[in-house]
Amino acid sequence: LVRLQETGGDSVQVGGSLRLSCGVSGYFVSYSGHCMAWFRQVEGKEREAVAGAIIGGDLADYASSVEGRFTVSSNDRATILYLQMTNLTQEDTATYYCAADGRCRGGLWKRSEHFPIWGQGTQVTVSS
């Protein structure tokens, strides 16, 4: 059973940076090649797709709201998915979730219903 655990959430000031990590466990063979994504949600609002990637692979895609500021990557063993966030704004304040085992191609990573596996989330708060 694959499990995801997000870490790295924190409170930062506008213009600051954070790196979120999503640890993948419970998978005995390399998780490389699987589609994973980062989503975020503000209480009372719909979950928003942030970035999608094939872990250990050649695909990385971003929502327009974060393109150029956020970078998704993974470690060599394909056990951690990172989200490097720079030039943060107050609009980036949310709980960030990673998701796995979805579909990445054709922009399908933006559809949360394609992802059956989710982490518990990590809070990012950006203040002025």
Side-chain angles (χ1 to χ4, degrees):
L1 180 63
V2 174
R3 293 184 177 85
L4 307 178
Q5 178 65 60
E6 304 94 334
T7 57
D10 205 346
S11 297
V12 296
Q13 291 190 322
V14 170
S17 299
L18 276 177
R19 188 176 77 165
L20 305 183
S21 300
C22 174
V24 182
S25 62
Y27 201 77
F28 296 103
V29 183
S30 172
Y31 207 66
S32 181
H34 283 71
C35 176
M36 297 185 67
W38 286 97
F39 290 79
R40 64 187 181 187
Q41 190 168 23
V42 176
E43 191 172 349
K45 295 188 177 181
E46 289 189 1
R47 193 163 291 189
E48 176 191 11
V50 175
I54 294 178
I55 188 168
D58 60 353
L59 183 146
D61 198 12
Y62 303 91
S64 58
S65 58
V66 306
E67 184 139 29
R69 299 188 299 121
F70 290 12
T71 303
V72 63
S73 63
S74 58
N75 66 341
D76 290 343
R77 294 173 55 206
T79 58
I80 305 174
L81 185 74
Y82 299 107
L83 184 68
Q84 178 69 48
M85 307 186 294
T86 63
N87 195 20
L88 286 161
T89 72
Q90 290 179 291
E91 287 68 37
D92 296 317
T93 295
T95 301
Y96 284 70
Y97 299 88
C98 68
D101 208 23
R103 299 180 182 181
C104 270
R105 303 289 179 185
L108 289 177
W109 66 268
K110 297 177 183 178
R111 305 282 297 273
S112 60
E113 62 267 29
H114 287 299
F115 291 88
I117 303 170
W118 291 82
Q120 294 300 306
T122 187
Q123 178 67 36
V124 172
T125 302
V126 185
S127 58
S128 60

